Amino acid sequence: MALLKVKFNQKKRVKLAQGLWLMNWFSVFAGILVFSMGLFLKIELRKRSEVMDNNESHFVPNSLILMGILSCAFNGFAGKICYDSLDPTKFAKWKPLLKPYLALCCVFNVLIFFVALLCFLMRGSLDSTLAQGLKNGMKFYRDTDTPGRCFMKKTIDMLQIEFKCCGNNGYKDWFEIQWISNRYLDFSSKEVKDRIKSNVDGRYLVDGVPFSCCNPSSPRPCIQYQVTNNSAHYSYDYQTEELNLWRRGCREALLNYYSGMMSSMGAVILLVWLFEMSVMVGLRLLHTSLESITNPEDPECESEGWVLENSLKDTFKSALENLKKLGKFNQVEAGAEGAEGEEGGKTPAITTVS
C-alpha cells in the first residue's frame, strides 16, 4: 500500500504546482537567510580569531554558507520544474531528471538537519578553543613591542570592556602571568628585583589586573593593584566586599555569546529544514500524480500521487534486498576475476619429441 496516497484532478494538480512554485521561491529566500547567518557568524568569529586556538570553530559558518548556496540552487531549479509542470510538453523534458533530483533533495535535507544539530553541539569544542586561545592571548598582552603581537593588548582590553569580563576564568588569572612589559619596570627598584627573584621563572607577578577589568558602575575608584592586600586600601576587605572588577571570565562571556547565537541559528535552520521537507514531499506528489496519468492526451483525467509506492516497512525491506543483491553481485564478479586469474596463470605443458 502506497504511503500518503492522494487522488488528483487537473485543478488540484495545477494548484499543487502553483503552490510548490511559490514555496520554492520562499525557500530561495530562506537559503539567502541561511547564507547571511553563516556569513555573519564567520565575521563575528574572525573578529576574535586572535583569542581562539584553532580554525575548527569556522566549520559551522562554512557549512551554513554552503547550505545557503545549495538551497538557492536546488529550490530555484525546483521552481522552474513546478512552473513547467503546468504545460505537459515542457514538463516532458524534466521527467527523467526528477527521480535523481528527489534523491539529491533527500541528501540535501539530511545535511541541513546535520548542520542544525552542529549549531547546538558546538559549545564543547568552542569552550576548549576559547580557553586555550585566551590563555595564549593573555601571555602576549605585555608584548607591545613585538611584531605580530603588538595588537594583543588592545584586543584583550577591548574584549574585556565590551563583554564586561576579566581574565580567562576570572580576574585571578592575571595574578599568574606577567602582563606588565619589562619596558615599564624600574629594575633598579628593590621591590621589582625582589618580585623577579622570588619567582622561579624570573617573571614580575603582581596581584593586579589591567584597567579594562574595572567596572565603571562601581561608586568606588577602581582597585586594580594590590587587589588582595587589605592594608593597602582604606576600609577594604577583598574576601567579603564586592570588588569593583568584573567577576565573570571572558571564556564564559564569549561562550555564552556564541552559544546563544548558534542556538538561535540552529532553531532557524530546523524551521528551514521542515519547510524544505514539506517542499520535497509536495514535489514527490506532483511527480507521481503527473506520471500516473492514464491518458496523456486527456489532461483533465484523474490520477493518483504518493510519497512512497509501497509502505515504509516494504520500502525498507526492498532497499535491504537491493543492497544484498549488490553485495552478492560484487562477490560473483570478484570470484570470476579470481578464476580468470588462475586460468591465466596456468602454463601449458610442453613435450619434446626426440
Side-chain angles (χ1 to χ4, degrees):
M1 184 178 177
L3 183 68
L4 288 178
K5 197 172 186 180
V6 183
K7 285 189 176 181
F8 289 91
N9 54 28
Q10 187 189 21
K11 189 177 179 180
K12 285 184 178 180
R13 285 193 296 268
V14 169
K15 282 186 176 180
L16 178 62
Q18 290 174 339
L20 284 172
W21 178 83
L22 189 62
M23 288 176 72
N24 274 295
W25 283 110
F26 275 123
S27 295
V28 169
F29 290 120
I32 295 171
L33 175 64
V34 172
F35 176 85
S36 302
M37 287 192 302
L39 196 61
F40 175 75
L41 181 58
K42 193 172 183 67
I43 291 170
E44 285 297 302
L45 289 170
R46 286 283 184 191
K47 281 182 183 177
R48 297 165 187 95
S49 58
E50 295 89 355
V51 293
M52 292 185 179
D53 187 42
N54 52 44
N55 294 320
E56 288 179 11
S57 53
H58 289 274
F59 180 73
V60 171
N62 290 341
S63 300
L64 290 174
I65 290 170
L66 178 62
M67 288 299 105
I69 293 170
L70 290 177
S71 179
C72 292
F74 272 96
N75 290 293
F77 182 69
K80 174 64 176 172
I81 292 173
C82 294
Y83 182 79
D84 287 349
S85 65
L86 299 171
D87 185 351
T89 55
K90 289 182 179 179
F91 180 72
K93 64 181 179 181
W94 298 117
K95 275 188 177 181
L97 298 175
L98 272 174
K99 281 189 177 179
Y101 174 76
L102 285 167
L104 285 173
C105 282
C106 288
V107 176
F108 173 67
N109 282 309
V110 170
L111 290 175
I112 286 184
F113 185 73
F114 177 69
V115 171
L117 287 181
L118 276 181
C119 289
F120 294 107
L121 299 175
M122 274 296 289
R123 185 182 176 92
S125 61
L126 193 61
D127 189 7
S128 58
T129 296
L130 286 169
Q132 191 59 41
L134 282 165
K135 186 178 179 181
N136 293 334
M138 288 170 65
K139 286 180 181 177
F140 302 142
Y141 182 89
R142 63 172 181 165
D143 297 338
T144 51
D145 297 326
T146 306
R149 296 177 186 172
C150 54
F151 61 87
M152 190 56 71
K153 179 184 180 299
K154 181 182 176 182
T155 300
I156 297 290
D157 283 334
M158 293 303 295
L159 178 69
Q160 294 186 148
I161 292 170
E162 182 181 353
F163 286 91
K164 298 179 180 180
C165 59
C166 185
N168 191 344
N169 299 304
Y171 70 93
K172 289 186 178 180
D173 291 337
W174 290 107
F175 300 173
E176 300 171 3
I177 62 170
Q178 181 182 337
W179 56 272
I180 301 173
S181 174
N182 288 338
R183 179 181 179 181
Y184 304 106
L185 294 177
D186 181 10
F187 287 96
S188 63
S189 170
K190 185 177 183 302
E191 182 188 351
V192 172
K193 288 180 180 179
D194 290 343
R195 281 188 179 275
I196 292 174
K197 287 178 181 178
S198 64
N199 190 276
V200 178
D201 298 328
R203 295 178 297 171
Y204 181 76
L205 303 182
V206 292
D207 56 342
V209 296
F211 77 97
S212 52
C213 284
C214 294
N215 180 359
S217 301
S218 175
R220 181 169 186 160
C222 184
I223 297 175
Q224 65 178 108
Y225 293 107
Q226 295 184 323
V227 177
T228 58
N229 186 0
N230 293 333
S231 61
H233 312 283
Y234 176 73
S235 184
Y236 176 74
D237 187 352
Y238 82 97
Q239 291 181 329
T240 58
E241 73 174 65
E242 186 72 23
L243 298 180
N244 50 10
L245 304 175
W246 301 119
R247 290 296 190 99
R248 185 172 62 160
C250 290
R251 179 183 59 82
E252 182 188 350
L254 283 172
L255 189 61
N256 291 339
Y257 173 71
Y258 285 119
S259 296
M261 187 187 297
M262 286 195 285
S263 295
S264 301
M265 289 181 179
V268 173
I269 301 300
L270 281 178
L271 291 174
V272 172
W273 172 74
L274 289 172
F275 194 74
E276 291 283 356
M277 288 293 291
S278 63
V279 170
M280 187 179 69
V281 170
L283 192 61
R284 174 62 176 168
L285 287 171
L286 179 65
H287 169 224
T288 51
S289 66
L290 288 170
E291 277 200 333
S292 63
I293 293 175
T294 53
N295 185 10
E297 295 179 359
D298 181 17
E300 294 186 2
C301 67
E302 289 190 348
S303 62
E304 291 183 340
W306 56 83
V307 176
L308 292 175
E309 194 170 356
N310 301 312
S311 65
L312 197 62
K313 185 179 178 181
D314 293 338
T315 304
F316 184 69
K317 283 182 178 178
S318 176
L320 282 177
E321 286 175 4
N322 289 333
L323 286 173
K324 286 178 182 178
K325 285 179 182 178
L326 185 64
K328 287 179 181 178
F329 180 74
N330 289 335
Q331 287 178 0
V332 169
E333 279 193 343
E337 287 176 2
E340 286 177 6
E342 288 179 1
E343 289 177 3
K346 290 180 182 178
T347 54
I350 301 172
T351 57
T352 57
V353 180
S354 56

